[in-house]
Amino acid sequence: MSQESSAKYDETYKRLFTNRVLVEQLMRDFIDEDLANALDFETLESIETMTYSQDLEKRDNDKILKIKKKDGGDLYLLLMLEFQSSNDFSMAVRIFSYVARLYEELVKQQGNVEALSLPAVFPVVVYNGEYRWTAKQSLDELRDGGEAWKEATSMFDLRYHLVDCARAPKIKESFVSLLFQMEHPEDLEAFKKALTEFASLVRKVVPEAMIKDFQTWLRFVLERKI
C-alpha cells in the first residue's frame, strides 16, 4: 500500500469509529457489556473543539467522543487508534496528558465555581499492529519507588483499556469483530469466510450513511491482502 493510500486507510478507519453502531459494539463486545448498557449511544457526538498546548499536539488518530449516561451526566470516551506495529511505551503518560488537558478545558467552560463537576473519562486504545502490545497500561505501573512510595504519591490509577485487534475474540453478528478478523485473518480461508459474512450482513446492519465508508475501508483491506 502506498503512503497516500495508507493515510486514506487510516482516515477511513478513524471515521468508522465515530459511528455510534461501531462504538457501541466496541464497548459491548470488547470492553464491558454492563458499561455499554449504562450508556445512551444515540447521544454520541465527536468532540472537535478542544484546544491543545504547544507541548501536547493532537494526533489525527485520537478521538474524543461524548456519550450521555442513562442515569444522568456524560462519559467522555478517549479513543486512541494505534496503527503502527510497534508499542507506544509512553501511552499511559500520553493519556494522562489528554485527560488533564480535557479537564482544564471543562473547568474553563464551567468556571471555577463551587458547583464544578467533572465527567468520567474512559480511555480505550484500539491497537491494530501485528505484534503483541506489551506496554504498561496504567500510570502507576510506570512509576518507580516501590509500592509504599507509589501509594503515598499516587493521584489516581489512570488505566486505559486495550483492544488488541489481532488477538481479539471472534464475536458473532458483530461488525467490529468482522473488521478485526478481516484485518488480521488466520489464513486465506478465514479471510474469505469473514468476507462472506461481511457481505451478507452489511446491508442488513449498517446504516445507509455508513455504506460508503465500509466500501472504502474494504477496498483498502483488499489492496493490502493482494
Side-chain angles (χ1 to χ4, degrees):
M1 184 185 292
S2 67
Q3 186 173 358
E4 181 180 358
S5 294
S6 179
K8 289 182 179 178
Y9 159 79
D10 290 357
E11 172 61 29
T12 301
Y13 204 87
K14 178 185 70 174
R15 192 162 56 248
L16 291 178
F17 278 98
T18 60
N19 182 274
R20 68 169 187 82
V21 175
L22 267 68
V23 173
E24 180 173 0
Q25 287 188 355
L26 180 69
M27 288 288 293
R28 190 173 301 282
D29 296 337
F30 297 97
I31 298 176
D32 190 304
E33 187 172 5
D34 288 337
L35 284 178
N37 288 336
L39 298 173
D40 181 2
F41 289 94
E42 294 287 346
T43 67
L44 184 144
E45 60 178 301
S46 181
I47 305 301
E48 304 287 357
T49 58
M50 284 186 61
T51 59
Y52 292 81
S53 66
Q54 292 181 350
D55 296 328
L56 181 60
E57 295 182 358
K58 179 179 180 296
R59 302 191 337 165
D60 286 341
N61 294 330
D62 299 337
K63 301 296 297 180
I64 298 178
L65 306 172
K66 185 168 74 171
I67 311 171
K68 289 193 177 299
K69 295 183 292 184
K70 292 178 180 177
D71 62 357
D74 298 322
L75 173 80
Y76 281 77
L77 177 62
L78 181 56
L79 193 59
M80 323 287 275
L81 303 177
E82 294 294 306
F83 298 118
Q84 70 268 23
S85 295
S86 59
N87 280 231
D88 183 345
F89 294 106
S90 65
M91 176 60 76
V93 176
R94 199 170 117 204
I95 287 176
F96 175 79
S97 299
Y98 275 123
V99 173
R101 189 68 181 122
L102 172 60
Y103 280 161
E104 285 180 358
E105 291 296 318
L106 294 175
V107 168
K108 288 179 182 178
Q109 293 174 19
Q110 294 186 39
N112 187 18
V113 296
E114 186 176 355
L116 178 67
S117 177
L118 297 175
V121 178
F122 191 77
V124 176
V125 174
V126 178
Y127 170 60
N128 203 24
E130 295 294 335
Y131 301 105
R132 185 176 296 277
W133 184 270
T134 59
K136 292 180 173 62
Q137 290 179 232
S138 78
L139 202 60
D140 271 356
E141 289 179 275
L142 284 175
R143 299 189 306 119
D144 62 14
E147 292 303 318
W149 280 110
K150 283 185 179 181
E151 183 176 352
T153 61
S154 179
M155 291 176 288
F156 56 92
D157 183 18
L158 181 61
R159 179 174 298 274
Y160 61 87
H161 189 97
L162 175 71
V163 179
D164 190 337
C165 303
R167 281 153 284 275
K170 296 179 181 178
I171 308 294
K172 191 174 182 181
E173 301 291 319
S174 169
F175 255 89
V176 173
S177 181
L178 280 176
L179 294 184
F180 296 164
Q181 291 175 53
M182 292 172 69
E183 293 274 6
H184 303 279
E186 297 174 359
D187 50 37
L188 182 58
E189 287 304 312
F191 178 77
K192 289 180 179 178
K193 182 178 179 181
L195 182 59
T196 300
E197 187 177 352
F198 176 91
S200 67
L201 287 178
V202 66
R203 290 289 179 180
K204 297 178 182 178
V205 179
V206 177
E208 189 65 31
M210 282 189 65
I211 292 293
K212 186 175 180 180
D213 282 337
F214 269 103
Q215 291 173 338
T216 302
W217 169 83
L218 181 58
R219 184 171 66 252
F220 289 137
V221 170
L222 292 173
E223 181 181 342
R224 294 171 71 187
K225 302 304 177 186
I226 294 177

